[in-house]
Amino acid sequence: MNQHRLITQFAQITQFITWPFLWFISHVLFRIHISGREYITSAQSPFIIISNHTSFYDSFLFRLILGCWTSKLPLRFMAVRKFKWPILNM
């Protein structure tokens, strides 16, 4: 079995395990409403999601948005707090 397939299977297993907890926390404790989910779930893979902020919680929220059974895995995240060029930090 190649490495990419192992990574994908690991991502699917962790998505399946964590999604119910994330759903409970977001819908029962915090009452988070997600709008625009259809744009992400209908996108063809691979795709890039770019947010305008850096947050530890983004990876968990994207798992919640994608749902328990998704073909969009594995997810990868990259974030920076400050760019080398000042104009990019505006």
Side-chain angles (χ1 to χ4, degrees), residues 22-63:
L22 295 173
W23 186 91
F24 178 80
I25 290 169
S26 67
H27 287 80
V28 176
L29 299 179
F30 293 109
R31 301 194 189 273
I32 293 175
H33 173 73
I34 298 169
S35 61
R37 175 182 294 172
E38 64 275 4
Y39 298 113
I40 293 177
T41 56
S42 66
Q44 293 180 353
S45 292
F47 59 92
I48 298 173
I49 300 171
I50 301 171
S51 63
N52 61 352
H53 63 282
T54 304
S55 173
F56 172 75
Y57 305 106
D58 287 346
S59 62
F60 298 109
L61 289 175
F62 282 119
R63 285 184 175 269

Side-chain angles (χ1 to χ4, degrees), residues 3-32:
Q3 185 178 7
H4 178 70
R5 183 159 170 80
L6 285 173
I7 291 171
T8 301
Q9 287 179 342
F10 178 76
Q12 290 170 339
I13 291 168
T14 58
Q15 177 74 2
F16 178 75
I17 292 170
T18 59
W19 192 85
F21 297 109
L22 295 173
W23 186 91
F24 178 80
I25 290 169
S26 67
H27 287 80
V28 176
L29 299 179
F30 293 109
R31 301 194 189 273
I32 293 175

